[in-house]
Amino acid sequence: MDHFLNRYRNLGVLLVAVLVQLVLLAYQVRNDKEIRLIRVWSVGAVTPVARVLETIRSSTANFFGSYVVVRDAREENKRLQHELDEARMENAQLRTELDTAGRAQALTVFQAQTKMKFVAARVIGNTTGSSTVMIVDRGASDGILPGMAVITPAGIAGKVTKVFPGTSFVLLITDPYFAAGVISQRHRVLGTLQGGSTLTVQNVPNEQMVEQGEKFLTAGNEGIFPRGLPVGTAAAVREGRGTKEIVIAPSGFDHGLEDVLIITEGVHAAIPEEALDVPIVLMPPAPPDPGTLNPLHPAATGPMSTEADRITDYYRELGKQAGYDYGRGGPVPNFNRPLAPAGTTQPKSEKGTKK
Amino acid sequence: MSAASFSFSDSSRKKNRIAQFKWITIAGIPLVAILYQVYTPPFFSYLAYLEMPLLVTVYFALMRRSPILGVLIGMGIGLAQDSLSSNPLGMFGIAKTLVGYLVAWASLRVDVDRSRIRLALAFFFYVFHQWLYWFIGSSLLGQSLAFSFWQTLALGALNALVAVPLYHILDKLKVDQ
């Protein structure tokens, strides 16, 4: 017996080690639970060192950076960058509101509307074996809870999956297990954003209209992201088997992913009617100077004339000059010909062609 | 001791030598390797291909030449890596346990100080580890993990090329007997 044990001691230890881990795996998968204590210890042991390393890295980078950049300018740049990020967030909210409500009303609404609460966090590493789960330096002690949305000023970035006392794991939108409800801005098509090396929107029937370049926003139907946050634009759209194949170019990573915002209190926003890529004009254009007549609008009769009135007047005058009676037929006048001064008629030969 | 014991050639004596390390080295180097895996990729994405915990597992299992120690080192590093991942505990653990055992088993049959052998072992066990991890994830846990054979071979070659100078540096940490 001793001989047998000695002979197979190494193999026995290997089998026991593998078996124990298999049981551990089976327990976690079957019960959908995890051995939290081990993770807390490991994260607790590693993250302080990672934090120190990150501090050393950023300090060193700042130190060398200060040699080439004037200190005040650097501070100013930092402050302006911060303000710009804030302004982008406000701008996204503002656009959303401006599109759905009246402009003046939307401004008022927006001022009272920025009720979302954030916690700013810094990425200090990523988890082993995956580049799509990041570790951020905010955790339960900062009020972070699993399932909270993580965004950047440019769009959504991911969601919190695990929370530890001083750190959290963030599942990025590029992870294959990431999914969120989205809605297209122009055609209001609902779909499911599916993570992966290529982001796609799933479950959109072929019959529904989605255009290339159309923006997608969060639909707010999965309980993680508030409605109306930018997701990205449709980089490619084609018909598939029953459902469309839509590839999304995410907007959240446009400016890197070193600093993120964790939404601790989200507020739903309405989806705008159309993307506002043109500057927002809050006042109507100034009226033309009195006495100035637009050649296209010769029959403008007063300040209350609408565009349709002016076009009708224009064609009526043109028909009158060419001797054409609308509704009774006859030679079709040349509509491309400029309107003659009032009181004159077009020569018969140039009136038009006989039908 | 029999006469046969004294008739070992120089190379076979070298072949049977067990390297000694301080405990701080055995505990600290894997921690540094895991920290590297956690900390480096977000800032230097081109270094993400280096599987440092695996290279360290292979090194210690190779130099200690004890299958039991290989199992324990592999399991320890693997579980630590698991606990810092978002996957269930045991995926890296099982893969590295088997790697640790097999490397230690192989170390009893080859001259572990030769660079070419280290290069070949690092390459082979990288590919084996990646395949095993993929197999555990996809077959046992039903995860949709990607496994590209040619890419794994290329990354295995890169890891092996890094392993040789790395092991040379780690050799300096050996304690003289």
Side-chain angles (χ1 to χ4, degrees):
Chain A
M1 184 65 180
D2 283 351
H3 172 72
F4 179 82
L5 284 177
N6 278 334
R7 188 171 177 187
Y8 294 106
R9 193 178 56 172
N10 294 341
L11 203 59
V13 170
L14 172 71
L15 287 176
V16 168
V18 171
L19 203 66
V20 165
Q21 291 178 85
L22 276 174
V23 169
L24 196 68
L25 264 180
Y27 170 79
Q28 293 167 85
V29 174
R30 187 181 168 86
N31 299 330
D32 200 20
K33 284 181 183 170
E34 57 179 35
I35 317 296
R36 186 167 163 77
L37 197 59
I38 297 177
R39 283 196 199 274
V40 171
W41 285 349
S42 302
V43 173
V46 167
T47 46
V49 188
R51 224 183 270 245
V52 170
L53 285 173
E54 164 58 17
T55 309
I56 293 169
R57 185 195 72 86
S58 52
S59 306
T60 312
N62 285 345
F63 178 75
F64 285 109
S66 297
Y67 273 113
V68 287
V69 180
V70 181
R71 190 179 179 137
D72 288 346
R74 189 178 175 78
E75 288 299 318
E76 183 71 4
N77 189 31
K78 216 179 203 176
R79 190 179 61 77
L80 288 173
Q81 184 64 45
H82 183 69
E83 282 179 11
L84 181 66
D85 286 349
E86 281 183 353
R88 280 207 183 106
M89 283 299 302
E90 286 180 5
N91 192 28
Q93 290 281 345
L94 185 61
R95 282 184 172 209
T96 301
E97 286 306 324
L98 283 176
D99 283 336
T100 49
R103 286 172 177 155
Q105 187 192 356
L107 279 172
T108 317
V109 170
F110 173 68
Q111 282 175 344
Q113 203 268 339
T114 43
K115 285 176 184 166
M116 274 207 254
K117 287 186 180 167
F118 309 101
V119 171
R122 173 171 277 194
V123 174
I124 57 168
N126 71 341
T127 59
T128 53
S130 166
S131 58
T132 53
V133 184
M134 310 294 277
I135 304 173
V136 295
D137 66 348
R138 300 285 176 182
S141 52
D142 304 293
I144 308 299
L145 297 170
M148 282 183 171
V150 180
I151 61 169
T152 68
I156 65 167
K159 63 183 174 188
V160 176
T161 51
K162 289 189 175 76
V163 178
F164 302 97
T167 46
S168 307
F169 284 7
V170 174
L171 185 80
L172 296 183
I173 57 173
T174 47
D175 190 279
Y177 288 96
F178 182 91
V182 292
I183 186 166
S184 71
Q185 193 177 27
R186 199 170 301 153
H187 297 101
R188 293 291 198 280
V189 173
L190 277 167
T192 308
L193 180 74
Q194 182 64 53
S197 54
T198 306
L199 283 180
T200 54
V201 174
Q202 316 256 323
N203 306 327
V204 176
N206 281 333
E207 294 74 29
Q208 294 201 294
M209 171 74 108
V210 175
E211 291 170 23
Q212 193 171 346
E214 188 165 354
K215 286 182 181 170
F216 275 84
L217 300 115
T218 50
N221 54 3
E222 79 295 281
I224 292 172
F225 293 98
R227 189 176 170 90
L229 292 173
V231 173
T233 50
V237 181
R238 58 176 175 264
E239 295 203 347
R241 290 184 183 171
T243 55
K244 280 194 188 304
E245 293 172 1
I246 304 168
V247 176
I248 295 289
S251 59
F253 302 154
D254 284 354
H255 306 286
L257 201 64
E258 284 194 28
D259 295 296
V260 292
L261 297 169
I262 302 172
I263 300 178
T264 53
E265 225 177 280
V267 177
H268 287 296
I271 305 295
E273 286 293 334
E274 182 71 37
L276 279 182
D277 290 330
V278 291
I280 299 163
V281 181
L282 294 176
M283 292 176 67
D289 292 333
T292 310
L293 278 180
N294 187 333
L296 274 176
H297 307 147
T301 52
M304 295 306 287
S305 295
T306 64
E307 186 72 11
D309 291 335
R310 283 194 288 271
I311 289 171
T312 308
D313 287 349
Y314 171 72
Y315 284 112
R316 189 178 293 133
E317 183 65 24
L318 198 73
K320 200 171 146 190
Q321 288 184 7
Y324 181 74
D325 199 358
Y326 287 103
R328 294 195 178 175
V332 178
N334 182 2
F335 289 111
N336 295 321
R337 186 186 176 84
L339 205 60
T344 61
T345 54
Q346 288 184 12
K348 278 281 176 191
S349 58
E350 288 181 29
K351 270 181 189 172
T353 52
K354 184 90 176 169
K355 269 185 187 175
Chain B
M1 196 169 277
S2 68
S5 302
F6 292 103
S7 67
F8 280 145
S9 66
D10 198 37
S11 69
S12 71
R13 243 183 283 127
K14 206 174 165 186
K15 207 168 145 181
N16 286 284
R17 202 169 58 201
I18 296 170
Q20 299 291 332
F21 295 93
K22 287 181 182 167
W23 278 107
I24 186 83
T25 308
I26 294 181
I29 296 296
L31 181 66
V32 171
I34 289 167
L35 266 176
Y36 168 92
Q37 201 76 6
V38 168
Y39 183 71
T40 314
F43 305 104
F44 310 101
S45 54
Y46 54 91
L47 291 176
Y49 76 87
L50 274 181
E51 177 65 36
M52 286 300 244
L54 174 72
L55 296 183
V56 168
T57 303
V58 170
Y59 178 76
F60 282 117
L62 207 59
M63 302 313 287
R64 291 293 301 168
R65 319 186 92 172
S66 157
I68 293 179
L69 217 58
V71 164
L72 294 179
I73 289 170
M75 189 167 80
I77 293 177
L79 284 177
Q81 212 177 342
D82 274 325
S83 62
L84 291 167
S85 78
S86 52
N87 293 322
L89 293 177
M91 286 179 72
F92 278 117
I94 293 173
K96 285 197 169 58
T97 301
L98 285 166
V99 167
Y101 177 83
L102 291 173
V103 170
W105 179 82
S107 72
L108 296 171
R109 286 152 182 82
V110 293
D111 181 359
V112 297
D113 288 329
R114 292 178 67 178
S115 293
R116 271 187 228 167
I117 288 176
R118 288 176 167 191
L119 185 85
L121 287 175
F123 172 75
F124 173 78
F125 282 106
Y126 177 85
V127 176
F128 176 70
H129 174 270
Q130 295 304 98
W131 176 82
L132 204 57
Y133 182 79
W134 170 81
F135 176 78
I136 294 167
S138 54
S139 300
L140 296 184
L141 302 179
Q143 295 184 345
S144 55
L145 298 175
F147 181 78
S148 161
F149 181 69
W150 295 109
Q151 190 188 351
T152 307
L153 286 188
L155 292 180
L158 284 169
N159 275 272
L161 285 174
V162 171
V164 174
L166 175 74
Y167 292 174
H168 190 69
I169 294 166
L170 292 176
D171 281 343
K172 310 277 183 205
L173 301 174
K174 282 195 282 193
V175 178
D176 290 333
Q177 292 174 56

